């Protein structure tokens, strides 16, 4: 069940803009034990929601390694999303109308500041395991730097300490697709929907890879001249996202990913900032990932004093972080004390 935490005070963003109060949608499983040392906090990626048992099936939930019988599992929807936390579709209390395009720019750091407010609201003083993949890993890394005394162990998969030029370029192409939609920035929730479908199509090319498409989407009929499987698949994935997400949030959140850099405002030296993260950390890289390639995880483990790197093979590319749950489970079982 998803709950709502209302924060009625001004929330100051990293860029100086102020939101006149925020709400955070969150989900919990299990019970906080008497020692308050069984918290597993899961940070989600770009288009997911607060319910990790829903989107990280096989890793989180009843009968899984991260299970409510042992752990108090917390997931919070990120600032700027369209799944219950304050974002572009929320009502601006100053105008009594949805923000839409007027919603201010946010950063990964802003998302974590909101998470910290929720942590305090829930009475959580220590996080036994903080985990996240892809954009969720961006949040987990920021949190580890911001509250090193709170986070006891860190699990990162398919992620990096700063957004790459490749990632910025991909996101820019996606936003260009949204902006090319003639309905973009119109004052309604469906503005930019066709552009969002195109943006998702671009994204799918980086979430998977050449090998995956060749294996799964190659047509067996050499006589075919139209209606190809790969085209149908891309259209299907685009429609599926449009039916459950929002172009305003997608545009805003890709901008937030572009802002990700652990050393911003901390001296500018990424290596020095990584060296300050003393928390025991498991880092998993996926060999076929072209969006957050293995070199980014290798860079982290070289400079984080207590980090361990495990590489897993998968044909699913970046999406392997939510698909390869058996391999992820084995890695966690081997690493966690």
């Amino acid at each position: 069940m998803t709950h709502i935490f209302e924060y009625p005070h001004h929330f100051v963003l990293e860029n100086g803009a102020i939101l006149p109060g925020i709400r955070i949608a969150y989900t919990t499983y299990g019970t906080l034990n008497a020692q308050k040392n069984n918290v597993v906090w899961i940070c989600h990626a770009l288009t997911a929601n607060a319910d990790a048992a829903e989107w990280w099936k096989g890793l989180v939930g009843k009968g899984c390694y991260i299970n409510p019988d042992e752990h108090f599992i917390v997931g919070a929807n990120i600032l700027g999303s369209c799944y219950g936390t304050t974002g572009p579709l929320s009502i601006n209390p100053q105008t009594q109308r949805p923000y839409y395009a007027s919603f201010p720019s946010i950063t990964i750091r802003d998302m974590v500041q909101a998470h910290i407010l929720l942590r305090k609201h829930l009475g959580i003083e220590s996080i036994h395991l903080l985990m996240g993949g892809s954009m969720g890993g961006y949040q987990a890394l920021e949190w580890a730097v911001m509250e090193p005394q709170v986070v006891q162990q860190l699990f990162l998969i398919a992620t990096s300490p700063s957004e790459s030029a490749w990632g910025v370029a991909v996101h820019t192409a996606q936003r260009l697709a949204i902006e090319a939609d003639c309905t973009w920035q119109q004052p309604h929730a469906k503005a930019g929907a066709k552009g969002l479908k195109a943006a998702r199509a671009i994204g799918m090319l980086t979430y998977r890879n050449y090998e995956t498409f060749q294996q799964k989407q190659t047509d067996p009929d050499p006589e075919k001249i139209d209606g190809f499987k790969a085209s149908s698949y891309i259209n299907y994935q685009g429609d599926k996202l449009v039916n459950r997400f929002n172009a305003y949030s997608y545009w805003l959140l890709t901008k937030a990913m572009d802002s990700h850099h652990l050393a911003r405002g901390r001296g500018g030296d990424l290596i020095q900032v990584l060296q300050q993260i003393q928390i025991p950390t498991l880092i998993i890289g996926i060999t076929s990932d072209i969006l957050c390639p293995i070199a980014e995880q290798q860079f982290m483990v070289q400079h984080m004093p207590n980090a361990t790197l495990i590489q897993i093979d998968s044909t699913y590319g970046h999406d392997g972080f939510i698909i390869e749950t058996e391999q992820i489970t084995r890695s966690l079982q081997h690493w966690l004390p």
Side-chain angles (χ1 to χ4, degrees), residues 42-272:
I42 301 172
C43 300
H44 72 73
L46 175 61
T47 66
N49 56 34
D51 192 347
E54 176 184 302
W55 54 263
W56 220 342
K57 293 184 174 83
L59 182 63
V60 181
K62 275 281 189 183
C64 299
Y65 186 66
I66 305 298
N67 68 82
D69 295 329
E70 294 180 58
H71 308 108
F72 182 53
I73 305 166
V74 185
N77 186 223
I78 55 176
L79 192 68
S81 184
C82 54
Y83 286 132
T85 296
T86 299
L89 300 189
S90 300
I91 300 296
N92 182 345
Q94 296 177 336
T95 65
Q96 295 303 309
R97 295 179 179 178
Y99 285 98
Y100 296 137
S102 68
F103 196 82
S105 297
I106 58 173
T107 65
I108 301 296
R109 213 164 284 177
D110 293 325
M111 296 173 191
V112 177
Q113 292 284 15
H115 290 337
I116 291 171
L117 290 176
L118 176 60
R119 174 188 69 75
K120 293 176 179 178
H121 169 73
L122 294 174
I124 294 171
E125 299 167 359
S126 175
I127 298 174
H128 172 66
L129 177 64
L130 177 64
M131 54 192 287
S134 189
M135 186 187 187
Y138 294 2
Q139 298 158 57
L141 277 162
E142 271 290 348
W143 202 336
V145 174
M146 293 166 73
E147 290 197 316
Q149 75 284 0
V150 170
V151 180
Q152 304 305 308
Q153 295 171 114
L154 193 59
F155 167 47
L156 310 167
I157 180 169
T159 196
S160 66
S162 65
E163 188 58 86
S164 66
W166 166 242
V168 172
V170 170
H171 300 151
T172 301
Q174 292 178 300
R175 290 192 297 271
L176 286 171
I178 292 173
E179 292 163 7
D181 186 327
C182 64
T183 68
W184 175 237
Q185 293 197 331
Q186 291 180 4
H188 57 81
K190 293 296 183 182
K194 289 184 178 179
L196 176 60
K197 179 177 178 177
R200 182 63 163 184
I202 295 168
M204 288 305 301
L205 300 180
T206 64
Y207 303 152
R208 301 298 173 89
N209 54 45
Y210 175 88
E211 184 180 356
T212 306
F213 276 86
Q214 283 297 98
Q215 287 183 358
K216 303 288 187 181
Q217 306 302 332
T218 295
D219 281 279
D221 181 6
E223 303 302 320
K224 192 177 260 190
I225 61 172
D226 200 359
F228 294 100
K229 282 179 65 177
S231 180
S232 296
Y233 175 74
I234 288 295
N235 273 284
Y236 165 75
Q237 291 292 345
D239 288 335
K240 193 164 76 166
L241 185 70
V242 168
N243 289 333
R244 71 172 181 85
F245 210 69
N246 174 261
Y248 282 114
S249 282
Y250 200 93
W251 190 96
L252 181 81
L253 295 177
T254 59
K255 277 280 191 180
M257 282 195 286
D258 290 353
S259 77
H260 174 52
H261 200 299
L262 286 184
R264 185 179 64 255
R266 298 177 178 129
D269 189 325
L270 196 55
I271 292 175
Q272 283 189 3

